[in-house]
Amino acid sequence: MTMDDCNLFEIIDTTRSMRRLKPDPVPDALIERIVSAGTRAPNGQNTQPWAFLVVRDPAARRFLQERYLAVMERAMGDHRPGPDDRSRGARTMRAAWHLAEHLHEAPVLLLVCGERDWPFAVAPEDRRGLAPPSYGSTYPAVQNILLACRALGLGATLTTLHQMFEAELCERFGIPDTHGVTALIPIGYPLGRFGPVRRRPLHEVTHLDRWGNSWPG
Ligand SMILES: Cc1cc2nc3c(=O)[nH]c(=O)nc-3n(C[C@H](O)[C@H](O)[C@H](O)COP(=O)(O)O)c2cc1C
C-alpha cells in the first residue's frame, strides 16, 4: 500500500504496535511531519500543553533501554513465553520483550511531554507534590503520531514503562518540573509487515440508549 492509496480507515485499521524495528535512520523531514501531525490534535482550550523530545543520541537511547528493560524484568520477569507457545498473548509478550531488549536500536525514541496540571477533580487540599502531566491533552497527539507513522510506513508503539523511572528520566534529559513524560514512542522502519488490529466486536462494547442494551448490529 502506498501513501496515495492508503485511506484514513485503512490506516486506522492497520495501526498496531510495531515492536520489531530496523535500525535504519529516519529522515528529519519525516520526524517533522510526524510531530507536526501530533500538534494538529485536539487539546484542552487549545493551550497545546505538549512538548516533544526527539532522542537520537545513541548513549541517550541506551540509557532509556537499560531502564526500560529493568522495569520490564521487575514487572514481567515471570512472563516469558517459550518459543513453542503460539498463542496470541505469547506472541505479544515475545514482541514486548524484543522491544525491551532492542529499544536502543530504534533510530528515534520520541518522548511526548505534557505540562503538569492538577485535574479539576483533585481538590486543592489534596494536591501534594508535583501535579501529573496532562495525559488528556497529549494522548490525542500521541494517536495522531502513531497514525502519521503508519501512513509514512514507519512502525511505532505507545509505551509507558518510563513512568517507573520518570524522575531519573527528567533529570537525564533536563525536562523541567513543569512537564512530565506521558509517552515514550520508539519509531523506525518495521521489520515485519503491518497487519489488521484485533479488537473485540462492536456489539460487545457498544450500548444503545441504555447501558446493557447491546447495539443491535
Ligand atoms: C496507555 C497505554 C500504555 C501502553 N504501554 C505499553 C508499554 O509500556 N509497552 C508496550 O510494549 N506496549 C504498550 N502499550 C501498547 C498496547 O500493549 C497495545 O496497544 C495493545 O496491546 C493492542 O495491541 P496493538 O496496538 O498491536 O493493536 C500501551 C498502550 C496504551 C494505550
Side-chain angles (χ1 to χ4, degrees):
M1 192 155 46
T2 68
M3 253 187 81
D4 291 338
D5 59 17
C6 197
N7 78 32
L8 178 63
F9 289 100
E10 285 177 88
I11 291 171
I12 289 173
D13 290 344
T14 58
T15 298
R16 60 185 181 85
S17 302
M18 301 299 278
R19 297 186 175 90
R20 293 186 165 89
L21 302 172
K22 296 178 186 166
D24 310 17
V26 176
D28 280 357
L30 296 195
I31 297 299
E32 285 167 24
R33 192 68 200 88
I34 290 162
V35 175
S36 166
T39 64
R40 305 298 102 178
N43 62 93
Q45 298 175 320
N46 206 15
T47 51
Q48 304 170 53
W50 46 52
F52 304 91
L53 218 153
V54 180
V55 179
R56 275 191 164 145
D57 171 48
R61 285 186 282 144
R62 181 57 99 169
F63 168 93
L64 290 167
Q65 184 269 336
E66 285 172 357
R67 281 147 190 86
Y68 187 102
L69 179 61
V71 172
M72 191 73 186
E73 278 168 346
R74 278 206 308 278
M76 308 273 187
D78 297 339
H79 295 84
R80 270 194 187 263
D84 297 336
D85 187 345
R86 306 310 301 165
S87 67
R88 194 162 294 149
R91 276 186 276 147
T92 300
M93 275 314 290
R94 271 195 294 275
W97 278 106
H98 177 93
L99 180 65
E101 283 156 1
H102 297 266
L103 193 76
H104 57 294
E105 294 167 20
V108 175
L109 298 177
L110 180 63
L111 299 179
V112 179
C113 305
E115 256 175 61
R116 295 185 183 278
D117 195 11
W118 288 108
F120 286 137
V122 181
E125 62 272 21
D126 294 333
R127 297 176 181 182
R128 284 182 204 95
L130 291 176
S134 173
Y135 283 87
S137 276
T138 53
Y139 268 41
V142 166
Q143 180 64 6
N144 271 8
I145 286 167
L146 297 175
L147 294 171
C149 287
R150 169 69 191 91
L152 294 167
L154 290 161
T157 300
L158 163 52
T159 81
T160 47
L161 295 189
H162 67 276
Q163 290 172 343
M164 302 299 285
F165 56 92
E166 207 199 341
E168 195 188 0
L169 164 65
C170 288
E171 194 185 327
R172 168 69 174 76
F173 291 93
I175 298 168
D177 272 359
T178 49
H179 287 69
V181 179
T182 58
L184 188 179
I185 308 179
I187 298 173
Y189 291 98
L191 271 168
R193 281 195 314 237
F194 293 101
V197 299
R198 294 176 198 285
R199 298 292 186 264
R200 287 156 60 195
L202 279 199
H203 70 85
E204 280 186 15
V205 295
T206 312
H207 311 260
L208 176 62
D209 293 332
R210 188 176 172 79
W211 188 274
N213 225 8
S214 264
W215 180 260

